[in-house]
Amino acid sequence: MADLNNPKVQKILNSKAFAHLATIGAKGEPNSSVMWFLWDEEYIKFTHTTERQKYQNIKRDPRVAITITDPDDPYTYAEFRGVVDKVEEDPTGAFYNTLAEKYGSSSRYRGDPRVVLCVMVDRILGYV
């Protein structure tokens, strides 16, 4: 099991840093996107529209890798490997709005079909 209690890992997980979420494409190719995230002490959570390729990749293969850099020290980072353990419907975009507030964005839910991707971390790599 991953050591999610490491103080450096906790600092990264509770930061406003952007996460790089990588999925596996249909032909085995990597697909990586910069994403907002929230750590809830059990899952790393992302908001995503159901109309994009990343969501299709996750439906086909739930394995993901997430890299987050310490905002105060770019030489300190963690790569989290795991699976999208559950997908929660978000018909009102409430989680999108929560993340927008966390990141200080004026952007709000625009009506696109959204879900919350809940990643269960299995392993942590990196320089922490």
Side-chain angles (χ1 to χ4, degrees), residues 4-127:
L4 294 167
N5 294 317
N6 176 308
K8 289 182 180 181
V9 170
Q10 280 295 306
K11 179 183 179 209
I12 288 169
L13 286 171
N14 289 296
S15 75
K16 290 184 181 182
F18 292 97
H20 298 258
L21 174 63
T23 61
I24 302 166
K27 296 178 184 174
E29 73 281 8
N31 176 299
S32 180
S33 301
V34 177
M35 308 274 291
W36 291 338
F37 76 95
L38 182 73
W39 168 243
D40 75 355
E41 303 296 324
E42 182 178 9
Y43 294 104
I44 300 175
K45 292 184 170 184
F46 300 92
T47 181
H48 208 284
T49 176
T50 59
E51 299 172 339
R52 293 197 183 133
Q53 185 61 50
K54 186 169 295 306
Y55 180 68
Q56 300 307 315
N57 291 349
I58 288 168
K59 280 181 23 180
R60 187 184 58 263
D61 187 337
R63 294 176 297 163
V64 297
I66 303 158
T67 303
I68 307 170
T69 303
D70 182 328
D72 299 321
D73 179 5
Y75 295 101
T76 299
Y77 68 93
E79 178 186 339
F80 304 92
R81 293 187 186 173
V83 295
V84 175
D85 189 50
K86 64 182 178 175
V87 177
E88 300 172 345
E89 298 294 322
D90 190 16
T92 65
F95 189 65
Y96 179 93
N97 292 338
T98 295
L99 288 177
E101 289 175 20
K102 173 187 174 182
Y103 284 89
S105 173
S106 61
S107 179
R108 292 296 179 263
Y109 175 63
R110 298 178 298 272
D112 50 341
R114 299 202 78 84
V115 292
V116 179
L117 306 172
C118 303
V119 177
M120 178 63 67
V121 175
D122 296 324
R123 188 170 179 203
I124 301 173
L125 306 165
Y127 188 75

